Amino acid sequence: MEEAVRLEAVSRQYGSGRSAVTVLGPLDLCFTRGSFTAVMGPSGSGKSTLLQCAAGLDRPSAGRVVLDGTDISSLGETARTAYRRRATGFVFQAYNLLPSLTAEQNIALPLRLDGRRPTRGEIRRALERVGLADRAGSRPGELSGGQQQRVAVARALVTRPAVLFADEPTGALDLATGRELLRDLRDLVDTPGRHGLGTVVMVTHDPQVAAFADRVVFLADGLVAGELHGPAPEAVAARMAALGGTRGVAVSEAARC
Amino acid sequence: MLRVALGTVGARWVSFLGAFTAVVLAVAQLTALGVALSASAESPDRPPRRFAGAPAVVLPVDPRWDPARHDLGVRSLPESRGLPPRLVREVSGTGHTVVDRSFYAQVADGPDDQVGHPWPVARYGGYRLSDGHPPRAAHEIVVPADRARVGAEVTVLTAAGPERRTVVGTVAPVPWEKAVFFTEAEAARLSPRIDALVATGPVGRVREAVADDAAVLTGQDRRRADADAGTDRKALDNTLTLLPVMAAVAGTTAVFVVASTFAFAVVQRHREIALLRAMGATGRQVRRMVRGEALLVGCCASAVGGLLGLLGTGWLTALLVALDIAPPWFRVELSARPQVLAPAGAAFVTGVLVALCGAVGASRRASRVEPVEALREAAVDDTPGRGRMLLGGVGLACAVGTAGWIALMAPRTVLSPTVYVVSLLVPVVATALLAPLLVGPVVRALMRPLRRLPGPVALLVRQSALTARRRTAATAAPVLLTVGLALSLLTATDSLGAARNEGLRETIGAPYALVPDGTPGISAQVAGRVAGIDGVRLAAPVLTTIRLPDGDGRLEENDGLAVDPGALRRTTRLRVVGGSLADLDGNSMAVAERWGGKVGDRIPVVLADGRRVVLTVAATYAALPGEDVAYLPQRLAYTGLFARDGLVRRAYLALDPGTDRATALAAVRAAVEGSGARLTSRRELIATEAALGQRLTETRQRATGVIVVLFCFVAILNTLLMVTADRRHDMTALRMVGATPRQTLWFFVAESLLVAAVGVVLALLAFGVNLIGLVGALGQLFPAAPVSVPYATVAAVTGVSGLLVVTGTVVPVMAALRTGGDGWVR
């Protein structure tokens, strides 16, 4: 059970009939436990769709998604939601806190949604981990962009998920704040928690950000166009520049792990 | 989830304020109407007056008689017959008895609600002679001291005609009646009906003697024998029929506004709900949250609304009195008693239920929000789905079905304000349901002429309204409701009045008429005097009541007019369907076709004095709605004294060919001088008649209109404030691409005006459907069906709606612009 997420022949189409557009796949891909993967690709390459399908936020048009050992593509909407909120955490680029709730309440929300009563210690530890122990009672409007994103990370982690998904998590942040956030994510993978190794899948278009990952998967036109291990920013940037001309590789290539 | 709901309500109070206000207003209305309704169901609690000094009163009553279910002024059979002489004889065996009669007797130039009684009964009402002596001769009378002095010679108008009488005594005036007392014999001559009997013997024996033939009243019950007990009741019955109509219309409008407000609140929070879904909230949890919010808002708003409603009851009763719908003495005592608490409680529960029902559709839509939608940037509106199509289709079918049914199958619906007002709502609500589907074509059509304008505003406004269809529809809805209802309701009222006038004009063939002048009617004696003038033909029908078998073995009461057939033919143009008016004689009658009788049928008729006669149907005619009467032989005119007051309501006057008009009319004027009648022309008669007949329906519908339109106005302002306050994002975007504050403001105002125009167009659509029903129904009921649209009023309502739309836009935009830069950039 080394795979945290496995995608098998996954594809996603929008619309139907002749006007249907395939934005993703069909592709095979997997993310091992304890890995930090960056997904890169030009605009419209399907990276966000890939992330949403893998996280169970979106339902693929075809194929299977196995998340932490469970085939979520076979679950109904409610069961999938319930499973997803326990097994995954999700951090968005922006707008991801409920403006009406305090930092503390925002963090407690996934637990409450799951019908659990969060303990004060649990929330405090989550806040401490992202260095915001003193801002528990603040509303999102009273926090800076970086602080808001750290609250979002704390909220994504509070359920101790098997996989943390992040879609351009540093997109709205300045360089220094972005780096801090990425170090937080790195720590999550490197420091094994009580439930084993953490897994992070992150979408980005910035080679500097991608360099924090162990592995970079490149997408083009909804298909996997290659990957790098232990990437340096320069190598990532060169590969991205080259992607302009290359077509993606079809499903015939073996599942990559 | 309730905690989340609580937090959301607290933070997004602007969008909830809209729903809150809608519920507050709805509950306030329902509370006020409900409390007034329950108060009007109580009889005013007053002590007995006319028989306060009598130990027991024998009164002829029909225990199953409910005045609310009969026309105004109609007496039950026992009441109109009076106490039978046999019963009076039997009761007089138990002790001293005094006969009471009540009849029309008016000292000339005095008020027209004076009433005649025999003198012996006066003492039981507490009357004492303050001057003079009791009446002893037929021409002697006693009047209140403020009417005339002892020794005065006055003209007294009665059913027997004007007569000179002498005031021989006076009594102190009382507030509850304006009496004229006659000798017992004279009273019996003027009014053969015995209205009541005072019995001074032992009550037990009186009851025994009366048995089941009449009621024996003692104590507080004696109040029922007072004349104004009946009028109190009748005055309130008016109110009683109107209030439920108002409550129904107000309730429907409220559910509608609240539902659309909640639906809109969900649209506004689309992103937030998507975010919750992304956080792992299931559809059911989101549904629960939206319902929780509705419950919270519903409870708070209903409580506030209930309080406001109780405070507003005084205002409502004042309005009802001012509009002449309720009698002047109508008051509501606010105290903790069931009559106040029950309707207030019911309004509270209704408010909470309305909020919950309004949120059902909204919560369903909210639970279908996809989590992925939180990640998309633009809030592109979803195109209306299959469910909306279905709902709109069903609504449209209902609307057209209702209109068609009224036009073809049930034209008489338009005559009943209760049902018709509610049925007018159906197309309006259906159009509102269809609105999201209709917004596209309507906006495109409206903006077509403006396509070539150079500025960016036309384009922006058009695209903005088209993109956010649901928002546009939700904003247009209150305008649609206001204009649609006002237009439909007022046009129906005006057209009905116009059709009635037209019908009356068609029916009356005589160029002149005699009408009461400061009196309730004209006496047959005066009419006879006029009819005797050379060259004058006068039809002077005396209004009475007859009872015909209705086929189920029951008797159905109808108005009858006892009239000379020859004069009737000369002065009216009844639309005769069967038989001929020429066949009318002393033993036959002409009846409305609608009653179902055939020419030649011999019908056993019960007269107002209880006598039974068999009359042959000589003719049937197509009657105007509300004007269906039986034309009876003149020999039955005397029954008018039993049924009502024995007077002629209006008389039609024609001149024989070759008569000198000036001489004849001068003779007529001289004949009616001082007799409580006045010569008038046909045109003038129709004008006054129309005003009289329509008044009741019109005030009812107007009052409903006033209350509903006021509520709608608030709804418009409310919705606009709510919508605009939530569009800071658009404001920011506009300002960032370089729009000046003035341009930004203009853009929002222009869009709101476009949306209001959409509402007006949709209102016209709904009105069109209502018009089908109205025109069809009027065409069947009346010989001519002119459609009369009160353009001025409708234009005013539309204008005020537009003004409110602009106000609701300008205020929040200005506020946002003033806070400037960072305040609204998020």
Side-chain angles (χ1 to χ4, degrees):
Chain A
M1 258 284 297
E2 279 308 290
E3 296 160 354
V5 188
R6 190 172 74 241
L7 285 76
E8 297 173 6
V10 165
S11 67
R12 181 73 173 94
Q13 294 186 333
Y14 288 107
S16 59
R18 267 185 297 172
S19 63
V21 181
T22 305
V23 293
L24 183 69
L27 56 71
D28 292 324
L29 200 58
C30 83
F31 304 99
T32 43
R33 212 170 275 284
S35 70
F36 187 164
T37 310
V39 178
M40 294 196 74
S43 289
S45 60
K47 46 188 196 303
S48 286
T49 308
L50 169 72
L51 200 69
Q52 286 158 15
C53 285
L57 282 171
D58 200 357
R59 188 192 283 270
S61 311
R64 278 177 10 119
V65 176
V66 180
L67 182 63
D68 200 22
T70 300
D71 177 6
I72 57 166
S73 33
S74 67
L75 297 176
E77 172 64 32
T78 303
R80 184 155 56 95
T81 305
Y83 183 77
R84 158 166 72 81
R85 71 185 168 210
R86 275 175 226 139
T88 72
F90 210 108
V91 179
F92 314 116
Q93 178 176 356
Y95 292 112
N96 48 6
L97 298 181
L98 284 162
S100 52
L101 304 182
T102 62
E104 205 173 20
Q105 287 167 336
N106 261 295
I107 292 172
L109 190 60
L111 293 173
R112 285 189 182 280
L113 286 171
D114 205 28
R116 278 187 276 161
R117 200 180 179 76
T119 62
R120 287 200 77 78
E122 215 173 346
I123 306 298
R124 192 169 321 118
R125 270 196 301 282
L127 273 167
E128 274 166 6
R129 191 162 172 180
V130 294
L132 286 173
D134 53 334
R135 304 306 300 267
S138 309
R139 284 186 201 275
E142 300 153 6
L143 297 173
S144 72
Q147 285 171 328
Q148 285 190 41
Q149 200 59 312
R150 271 145 66 199
V151 172
V153 170
R155 181 181 61 185
L157 293 178
V158 76
T159 56
R160 300 201 193 90
V163 190
L164 178 78
F165 294 95
D167 192 350
E168 301 273 10
T170 59
L173 305 180
D174 62 61
L175 207 61
T177 322
R179 277 177 188 285
E180 257 174 65
L181 187 86
L182 288 165
R183 269 195 285 276
D184 284 349
L185 295 183
R186 188 70 247 178
D187 281 351
L188 187 72
V189 177
D190 296 345
T191 331
R194 272 197 293 170
H195 294 261
L197 295 170
T199 309
V200 175
V201 181
M202 169 181 75
V203 161
T204 182
H205 64 273
D206 183 347
Q208 299 284 342
V209 171
F212 276 80
D214 310 322
R215 169 192 177 211
V216 181
V217 173
F218 294 96
L219 285 190
D221 295 328
L223 298 172
V224 176
E227 60 181 88
L228 276 177
H229 287 270
E234 298 73 25
V236 176
R239 195 66 170 266
M240 277 292 283
L243 266 184
T246 352
R247 276 282 287 124
V249 186
V251 73
S252 56
E253 284 190 35
R256 299 142 189 273
C257 279
Chain B
M1 277 326 269
L2 205 63
R3 195 195 174 100
V4 179
L6 203 74
T8 336
V9 171
R12 310 233 11 172
W13 61 272
V14 176
S15 55
F16 287 102
L17 192 62
F20 186 85
T21 317
V23 178
V24 166
L25 286 172
V27 172
Q29 266 187 80
L30 288 179
T31 308
L33 287 172
V35 171
L37 185 62
S38 101
S40 71
E42 302 179 293
S43 263
D45 202 17
R46 300 195 216 186
R49 282 152 170 174
R50 286 197 46 232
F51 298 102
V57 182
V58 183
L59 199 68
V61 289
D62 178 351
R64 282 160 312 188
W65 184 262
D66 175 7
R69 305 179 61 176
H70 298 268
D71 286 344
L72 220 59
V74 173
R75 293 191 171 101
S76 69
L77 190 54
E79 271 179 278
S80 97
R81 200 166 43 199
L83 289 174
R86 177 192 50 80
L87 188 73
V88 174
R89 271 197 307 278
E90 273 171 31
V91 176
S92 51
T94 64
H96 178 62
T97 58
V98 178
V99 162
D100 180 43
R101 300 172 200 268
S102 296
F103 51 94
Y104 167 64
Q106 180 179 8
V107 175
D109 303 324
D112 66 359
D113 56 347
Q114 300 176 60
V115 58
H117 293 299
W119 170 249
V121 84
R123 54 182 286 239
Y124 296 105
Y127 286 108
R128 296 283 175 274
L129 274 179
S130 49
D131 195 9
H133 62 83
R136 289 183 195 121
H139 71 281
E140 292 180 348
I141 56 169
V142 169
V143 295
D146 58 354
R147 187 77 52 230
R149 269 179 306 192
V150 172
E153 290 283 312
V154 294
T155 301
V156 177
L157 307 172
T158 63
E163 286 159 316
R164 299 293 288 172
R165 293 179 193 267
T166 312
V167 177
V168 295
T170 57
V171 292
V174 293
W176 34 269
E177 71 172 356
K178 303 176 183 88
V180 180
F181 293 102
F182 297 83
T183 61
E184 197 163 2
E186 179 67 359
R189 179 182 77 87
L190 292 171
S191 176
R193 182 186 62 230
I194 299 172
D195 293 274
L197 188 68
V198 173
T200 55
V203 176
R205 288 193 53 208
V206 173
R207 281 191 205 283
E208 225 168 85
V210 168
D212 289 336
D213 296 341
V216 178
L217 310 177
T218 56
Q220 177 63 34
D221 273 355
R222 291 169 300 173
R223 163 81 188 138
R224 279 165 61 196
D226 283 349
D228 59 349
T231 44
D232 279 2
R233 202 50 268 153
K234 275 167 200 150
L236 275 180
D237 285 336
N238 267 338
T239 325
L240 216 53
T241 49
L242 174 66
L243 287 178
V245 182
M246 284 167 109
V249 176
T252 316
T253 338
V255 174
F256 183 79
V257 169
V258 170
S260 83
T261 320
F262 267 105
F264 190 66
V266 166
V267 174
Q268 285 187 323
R269 296 167 49 219
H270 199 86
R271 196 183 187 101
E272 202 173 308
I273 289 166
L275 194 66
L276 269 172
R277 293 276 287 122
M279 295 289 71
T282 59
R284 180 216 283 262
Q285 283 175 319
V286 169
R287 221 160 29 228
R288 274 221 305 272
M289 182 189 80
V290 173
R291 282 196 207 130
E293 290 164 3
L295 190 68
L296 204 68
V297 171
C299 285
C300 298
S302 296
V304 174
L307 280 178
L308 275 181
L310 287 179
L311 294 177
T313 315
W315 182 81
L316 177 72
T317 45
L319 179 77
L320 291 176
V321 171
L323 287 171
D324 218 1
I325 294 166
W329 47 262
F330 184 55
R331 292 279 177 286
V332 177
E333 291 292 329
L334 287 183
S335 58
R337 61 205 162 97
Q339 287 88 340
V340 172
L341 294 181
F348 178 86
V349 173
T350 311
V352 175
L353 284 180
V354 162
L356 279 179
C357 292
V360 163
S363 75
R364 190 157 301 156
R365 196 172 310 142
S367 72
R368 279 204 303 265
V369 172
E370 292 283 328
V372 190
E373 292 172 49
L375 310 173
R376 297 196 189 120
E377 183 52 40
V380 174
D381 219 58
D382 47 343
T383 40
R386 196 176 298 245
R388 170 66 60 173
M389 297 272 230
L390 194 73
L391 197 65
V394 171
L396 191 69
C398 283
V400 174
T402 311
W405 183 69
I406 288 175
L408 300 172
M409 310 299 294
R412 303 191 70 79
T413 312
V414 301
L415 302 173
S416 140
T418 330
V419 185
Y420 190 49
V421 169
V422 176
S423 84
L424 284 176
L425 273 172
V426 178
V428 177
V429 172
T431 317
L433 287 178
L434 276 171
L437 298 172
L438 299 175
V439 157
V442 172
V443 166
R444 272 188 216 106
L446 282 173
M447 293 307 284
R448 185 166 290 267
L450 302 178
R451 254 183 324 180
R452 297 191 191 288
L453 283 184
V457 170
L459 173 79
L460 269 174
V461 160
R462 178 176 184 270
Q463 289 316 112
S464 176
L466 279 180
T467 313
R469 261 166 229 220
R470 214 181 275 286
R471 183 185 69 211
T472 308
T475 321
V479 178
L480 153 66
L481 201 62
T482 314
V483 178
L485 258 183
L487 192 57
S488 301
L489 202 63
L490 297 176
T491 301
T493 314
D494 280 23
S495 302
L496 197 59
R500 222 184 265 282
N501 286 356
E502 193 55 40
L504 206 60
R505 191 169 302 131
E506 289 290 315
T507 310
I508 301 174
Y512 305 101
L514 291 183
V515 292
D517 183 20
T519 57
I522 309 160
S523 68
Q525 192 259 351
V526 171
R529 213 153 63 194
V530 173
I533 298 170
D534 261 356
V536 168
R537 285 305 188 95
L538 185 79
V542 173
L543 182 61
T544 183
T545 305
I546 57 167
R547 288 173 167 79
L548 308 172
D550 67 351
D552 296 336
R554 279 189 303 255
L555 289 175
E556 194 186 350
E557 88 248 3
N558 284 107
D559 281 342
L561 289 173
V563 66
D564 168 43
L568 179 73
R569 276 197 303 278
R570 276 283 286 118
T571 55
T572 57
R573 286 194 292 251
L574 292 179
R575 287 182 290 160
V576 174
V577 181
S580 164
L581 293 182
D583 297 340
L584 279 178
D585 60 20
N587 292 307
S588 59
M589 60 179 173
V591 296
E593 184 197 14
R594 203 164 66 76
W595 297 358
K598 299 269 178 299
V599 175
D601 282 359
R602 288 170 53 75
I603 300 179
V605 176
V606 180
L607 301 174
D609 62 347
R611 233 162 39 98
R612 284 158 201 276
V613 293
V614 173
L615 294 176
T616 310
V617 175
T620 58
Y621 69 99
L624 294 177
E627 304 273 330
D628 49 335
V629 297
Y631 288 93
L632 303 170
Q634 189 138 37
R635 68 181 173 91
L636 300 182
Y638 81 95
T639 62
L641 276 175
F642 288 87
R644 295 184 183 244
D645 51 16
L647 298 177
V648 174
R649 290 294 182 277
R650 57 182 189 230
Y652 308 114
L653 193 149
L655 300 176
D656 281 338
T659 313
D660 179 54
R661 175 190 302 259
T663 326
L665 291 186
V668 171
R669 284 202 186 90
V672 299
E673 180 64 40
S675 71
R678 170 169 69 84
L679 183 69
T680 181
S681 69
R682 186 170 76 126
R683 215 172 50 161
E684 206 184 319
L685 170 76
I686 288 163
T688 39
E689 273 304 309
L692 247 153
Q694 281 164 243
R695 208 187 54 105
L696 194 65
T697 344
E698 275 189 23
T699 20
R700 281 178 182 182
Q701 302 203 345
R702 289 249 158 81
T704 315
V706 165
I707 289 197
V708 170
V709 166
L710 278 181
F711 178 65
C712 287
F713 280 161
V714 180
I716 293 177
L717 193 63
N718 183 18
T719 312
L720 258 298
L721 284 172
M722 188 174 144
V723 170
T724 315
D726 200 62
R727 293 187 62 192
R728 289 168 171 234
H729 195 75
D730 291 355
M731 250 179 261
T732 316
L734 270 177
R735 296 280 283 123
M736 282 198 315
V737 298
T740 62
R742 183 187 289 271
Q743 280 173 322
T744 312
L745 184 63
W746 172 225
F747 161 72
F748 278 100
V749 169
E751 189 184 335
S752 297
L753 283 176
L754 171 64
V755 171
V758 170
V760 172
V761 170
L762 295 180
L764 288 175
L765 256 165
F767 170 62
V769 176
N770 275 328
L771 208 54
I772 298 175
L774 182 69
V775 170
L778 289 182
Q780 283 196 51
L781 292 174
F782 295 93
V787 169
S788 154
V789 181
Y791 291 103
T793 321
V794 172
V797 168
T798 312
V800 174
S801 302
L803 208 66
L804 289 172
V805 164
V806 172
T807 314
T809 311
V810 169
V811 170
V813 172
M814 292 289 267
L817 289 174
R818 203 165 297 130
T819 51
D822 296 337
W824 42 272
V825 178
R826 275 264 299 270

